[in-house]
Amino acid sequence: MLFLGFSAGLPFLLVFSTLNARLADVGVETATIGFFSWLGITYSIKVFWAPVVDRLKLPLLDRLLGKRRSWIIFAQAGIATGLYLMAHVDATAAPEMMALCGLLVAFSSATQDVAIDAYRIEIAEERLQAALAATYIFGYRLALLVAGAGALYLAEFWSWQVSYEVMAALVGVGALTVLIVREPSVNHFAAAQDIAHKIEQEAAKRTHLNPRLARLVGWFYAAVAGPFLDFFRRYKELALVILLMVAVYRISDIAMGVMANPFYLDFMGFSKTQVADVTKIFGFFMTIAGSLVGGVMVVRYGVRRILLLGAIMTAATNLLFVVLAQYPPNIITLAAVVSADNLSGGIANVALIAWLSSMTSASFTATQYALFSSLMTLPGKFLGGFSGIVVAGFGYAEFFLVSAVMGIPAVLLAIFMIRNGHRLDALAPRNELKPDAESGSRSD
C-alpha cells in the first residue's frame, strides 16, 4: 500500500499546481491557466464510471492479473502515456493538446484511485484497514513531494520536458508493485449476479427482448443500480444517516483550509518562505504522525471511537486558529497550531477511510467506495466557496469559530454511530470478503 499510495499521489499535482506553474513559466495567459483547473472535475465525478471498474473484465489483462490489478495497471498505462505526451507538448503553441493530455492523466488517475481503493478494502479484513489506510496516505504524501517540489527542481535544473519524462518513468513504481502483489481472493459477483439474473428474466418476460439484449440490460442494471440498491437494502433507515455522516465529517476541515493561506500571509503577515516551511515540513510530518497514530488507535480501540475522537479534534483545532488570530505573529505558535491541525486531520482521515471501507459490499467495492469518497469532499468544497464572504464580512476569528461550529454535526453523528454500533455490525458486509470456494478463481 505504500507504493500504491505513491502511485496514486504522483499524478495529482502534475495536472494541478505543478502544471499551473509550468504554464505560467512558459508564458501561457492567466485566463487560459484557469481553465486547466477543470481537469480536477474528473476526481469528483469518478463515481459515474466506477461501476465499469466493478463489473467489466479487461480482455487478456483480467486473465493474467485478476480484476483489481488489471484495472490498476491499465490506468497506470494511461497515466504514463499522458505524462510522456505532456512532456513533449508545447503548451504555448498547443494549449488544447496539453489540456487533452492532462485530461488523459486526470481520468486515468481517478480510475486508478477507484481500483486501488477497492484493492485495499478487499486485500485484508476490517481490523487492518486503518493500518493500510495510514500506509497508503504516507505513500501518497511522499508522491506529492516528488510531484511538487521534485518536479519543480527538475524543471529548474534541466527542463519541463525532463521533469515530466521522469514523472512518467516513476509510474513504473506502481506498475512493478502491481506485478508483484497478489490479487484479492474475493467473490465480487455474488450479489451482482443475482440482481443481473432477475432483471434479465424480467426484461425478457415483459418486453420480449432477445436473450442477448436482456443480458445486457441485466448487466447494466446490476452495474449501475446494484451498488446503491445493495447499500440501501442493507442499512435501511440507517443508510441516510450514514451518508449524512460521510457528507458532514470533513466539512469543518475542508472549509477552514480554503482560508488558511490568506490568513497566514495577509492577516498574520508571515512570509511565503515561513508559511512554506511550517505548512510543508511540519504539516507533512504531523499528518504522517497523525495517520500512523490513528491507524494504531483504530486497531486498539475500534474505528467508531476514533471516528468520534477525530471529529472532536478537528473542530477543536479550528478554535486554536481563533486564539492565533488574537495575538501578534509568532512562528513558534504558528508551528504548534499547524502541527495540531495536521495531527488531528491525519487521525480523522484514517478513521474515516477505515470506517467507509468496512461498509462496502464485496460485490460493489469500487462503486460504493467511490460514492463515499466523492460525497465526503463535495459539501466541504461547496461551502468553502463562501468562506471569503464570511471573512470579508466578519473577520478571520469569526470565520474559524463558524468552521469549528460546523464540526458539531459530525461529533453528534459519530456518537449516534457508537450507540448504534451493534446494529451496524450486524448489517456490515465484511463477511463477504472471503475466497470463492466453489470457483477457486482469483478474478471471479
Side-chain angles (χ1 to χ4, degrees):
M1 290 313 303
L2 174 69
F3 297 117
L4 290 179
F6 181 88
S7 182
L10 186 69
F12 187 75
L13 294 184
L14 297 175
V15 292
F16 287 106
S17 60
T18 300
L19 177 59
N20 291 343
R22 174 182 177 178
L23 297 175
D25 188 49
V26 299
V28 175
E29 294 182 357
T30 305
T32 303
I33 295 175
F35 289 123
F36 276 82
S37 66
W38 287 350
L39 294 174
I41 295 175
T42 53
Y43 290 90
S44 300
I45 61 174
K46 59 187 178 183
V47 66
F48 290 113
W49 66 87
V52 177
V53 179
D54 249 342
R55 309 301 324 145
L56 184 65
K57 295 182 178 182
L58 294 173
L60 185 61
L61 283 176
D62 184 89
R63 183 177 301 177
L64 294 174
L65 299 173
K67 184 165 69 170
R68 297 309 182 201
R69 291 194 301 157
S70 64
W71 271 104
I72 295 173
I73 205 163
F74 180 71
Q76 289 168 344
I79 295 170
T81 301
L83 291 176
Y84 183 80
L85 292 175
M86 291 176 73
H88 294 271
V89 171
D90 184 347
T92 55
E96 298 88 355
M97 181 58 65
M98 179 65 79
L100 289 174
C101 294
L103 181 61
L104 173 61
V105 173
F107 179 80
S108 300
S109 177
T111 303
Q112 180 186 227
D113 289 350
V114 171
I116 290 179
D117 285 332
Y119 177 87
R120 172 181 52 78
I121 294 169
E122 294 170 356
I123 200 65
E125 62 268 30
E126 180 183 347
R127 70 181 184 87
L128 296 177
Q129 287 300 317
L132 294 179
T135 311
Y136 174 86
I137 292 172
F138 185 25
Y140 198 99
R141 291 280 177 172
L142 286 176
L144 293 183
L145 286 179
V146 172
L152 292 175
Y153 279 127
L154 288 171
E156 178 69 22
F157 289 107
W158 283 277
S159 67
W160 283 111
Q161 177 179 330
V162 170
S163 178
Y164 270 72
E165 285 177 343
V166 171
M167 296 300 120
L170 287 175
V171 177
V173 172
L176 184 60
T177 304
V178 171
L179 296 176
I180 293 174
V181 299
R182 65 180 176 88
E183 177 75 3
S185 297
V186 175
N187 185 352
H188 299 111
F189 296 96
Q193 288 291 73
D194 291 341
I195 294 173
H197 183 64
K198 291 177 182 178
I199 298 301
E200 176 186 336
Q201 288 180 324
E202 291 298 319
K205 183 194 307 181
R206 298 187 180 185
T207 62
H208 306 292
L209 296 175
N210 65 64
R212 182 173 298 178
L213 189 55
R215 281 195 298 273
L216 179 61
V217 172
W219 182 92
F220 181 81
Y221 188 86
V224 177
F228 306 100
L229 290 174
D230 173 82
F231 178 76
F232 281 97
R233 285 174 180 172
R234 184 184 303 278
Y235 289 104
K236 299 179 176 62
E237 72 278 3
L238 290 176
L240 291 177
V241 182
I242 291 171
L243 292 178
L244 181 61
M245 173 70 168
V246 175
V248 305
Y249 191 77
R250 294 197 61 200
I251 281 182
S252 177
D253 177 39
I254 295 175
M256 189 283 294
V258 175
M259 285 290 110
N261 280 334
F263 171 69
Y264 302 146
L265 296 168
D266 299 335
F267 184 80
M268 298 298 292
F270 291 108
S271 68
K272 295 182 180 66
T273 304
Q274 288 175 318
V275 172
D277 289 342
V278 171
T279 60
K280 297 302 181 183
I281 297 176
F282 281 88
F284 173 79
F285 286 107
M286 293 308 292
T287 299
I288 298 304
S291 301
L292 296 176
V293 170
V296 173
M297 294 178 72
V298 167
V299 174
R300 177 66 178 84
Y301 300 106
V303 65
R304 283 185 285 269
R305 291 181 181 179
I306 307 308
L307 202 65
L308 172 60
L309 176 64
I312 294 173
M313 291 181 66
T314 299
T317 50
N318 282 4
L319 294 177
L320 293 180
F321 284 92
V322 177
V323 176
L324 188 63
Q326 310 301 318
Y327 295 95
N330 184 298
I331 193 68
I332 303 299
T333 307
L334 176 66
V337 172
V338 169
S339 297
D341 181 55
N342 282 272
L343 181 69
S344 64
I347 292 173
N349 201 29
V350 165
L352 181 62
I353 291 174
W355 183 62
L356 297 182
S357 301
S358 71
M359 292 188 298
T360 59
S361 169
S363 300
F364 310 102
T365 312
T367 305
Q368 288 182 350
Y369 192 85
L371 168 66
F372 294 149
S373 61
S374 298
L375 185 60
M376 71 182 180
T377 57
L378 189 58
K381 289 181 178 179
F382 174 76
L383 292 176
F386 299 101
S387 58
I389 298 176
V390 177
V391 170
F394 300 96
Y396 278 103
E398 291 76 8
F399 166 73
F400 291 130
L401 180 61
V402 170
S403 68
V405 172
M406 290 168 64
I408 293 177
V411 174
L412 297 177
L413 286 169
I415 295 173
F416 176 85
M417 295 301 168
I418 292 175
R419 291 181 176 177
N420 289 270
H422 292 299
R423 294 177 62 193
L424 291 169
D425 289 339
L427 299 172
R430 306 318 303 156
N431 58 336
E432 298 171 357
L433 293 186
K434 56 188 177 182
D436 186 352
E438 295 180 2
S439 68
S441 169
R442 293 184 306 176
S443 59
D444 293 337

